[in-house]
Amino acid sequence: MSMRDEHPHVPDVLPLIPLRDLILFPNLVVPLFVGRERSINALEQAMRSDHLVALVTQREAEVQDPSPEEIYEVGCVVTILQELKLPDGTAKALVEGVQRIRILEYLEDDPYLKVRVEIIEEPGHADLEAQALMRNLVQDFERASEMGKPIPQEVLMAASAIEEPGRLADFVTFHLALKVEEKQQIREAL
């Protein structure tokens, strides 16, 4: 079974939620707090349809209402697993990254951002050289956790169980204390 078969069909038009300082990768489950009106509208639209939404990071976290030029092109389509509306009007969602996407075109901006996207296909198998590089990456990840901010043992164990090179790179990147720009560069690499 290929990675493509494991995930829902991703339409080429999706609601978009710009993220302030989070870089999300496929195959990771994370909580997401949504507070801006257009983003809440996008979340609600996704919940009414197929539970899929594009999450793409904005270039400057301080910008309240980012224009297309202020949003990176490459992001991640996610499935919304749960949504909880909070008393203050914001929402919390549990999302799972599905696939990398590239924004091709902005179609609407009211009542939420709507974009045309393309799926970025990722190589899925590891040859012998890639397997050796993966072992080295896991060892470096363990060493990095000893030198900087501690990484939970279960995260280190999960890293060593990942068999696809791209998925391992995404997982390690997500858990390292890197700048948003650095994580975005890795997200844009295949």
Side-chain angles (χ1 to χ4, degrees):
M1 178 184 283
S2 75
M3 291 294 290
R4 185 88 173 136
D5 297 335
E6 295 174 20
H7 299 301
H9 167 72
V10 176
D12 65 343
V13 174
L14 291 166
L16 168 71
I17 298 176
L19 302 176
R20 289 184 188 269
D21 54 7
L22 175 66
I23 300 284
L24 190 64
F25 293 93
N27 304 300
L28 293 173
V29 176
V30 298
L32 178 68
F33 292 92
V34 182
R36 295 181 278 195
E37 185 178 351
R38 281 198 310 189
S39 296
I40 289 171
N41 292 340
L43 184 67
E44 289 174 357
Q45 174 57 36
M47 291 301 291
R48 283 192 298 271
S49 58
D50 52 16
H51 290 229
L52 295 173
V53 65
L55 299 181
V56 183
T57 307
Q58 59 191 63
R59 295 176 189 276
E60 302 292 332
E62 311 78 44
V63 176
Q64 177 60 27
D65 194 18
S67 67
E69 299 76 33
E70 295 171 310
I71 299 172
Y72 288 108
E73 281 183 14
V74 175
C76 189
V77 62
V78 301
T79 297
I80 303 164
L81 304 174
Q82 293 178 331
E83 179 202 21
L84 177 65
K85 287 181 177 38
L86 301 174
D88 64 1
T90 63
K92 179 181 178 183
L94 187 64
V95 300
E96 179 177 14
V98 175
Q99 283 188 290
R100 276 180 174 77
I101 47 117
R102 176 176 287 107
I103 296 174
L104 299 176
E105 178 183 10
Y106 284 79
L107 302 173
E108 292 178 25
D109 64 1
D110 191 44
Y112 58 87
L113 291 168
K114 185 188 285 189
V115 292
R116 183 176 313 285
V117 300
E118 70 176 350
I119 298 296
I120 299 175
E121 296 295 340
E122 300 179 57
H125 68 284
D127 58 18
L128 287 175
E129 181 183 4
Q131 290 173 2
L133 291 169
M134 289 171 64
R135 281 191 299 276
N136 287 343
L137 177 58
V138 169
Q139 290 170 353
D140 289 346
F141 186 44
E142 289 171 354
R143 278 196 293 277
S145 75
E146 295 166 4
M147 294 168 34
K149 183 177 128 193
I151 296 170
Q153 189 62 36
E154 59 269 15
V155 171
L156 296 172
M157 289 172 50
S160 64
I162 296 173
E163 297 179 3
E164 297 94 23
R167 190 170 177 178
L168 177 62
D170 291 347
F171 185 85
V172 169
T173 301
F174 181 80
H175 286 92
L176 288 176
L178 299 173
K179 293 178 182 163
V180 168
E181 298 81 19
E182 294 169 326
K183 287 185 179 187
Q184 180 66 28
Q185 285 179 338
I186 294 168
R187 179 162 65 182
E188 291 179 7
L190 290 180

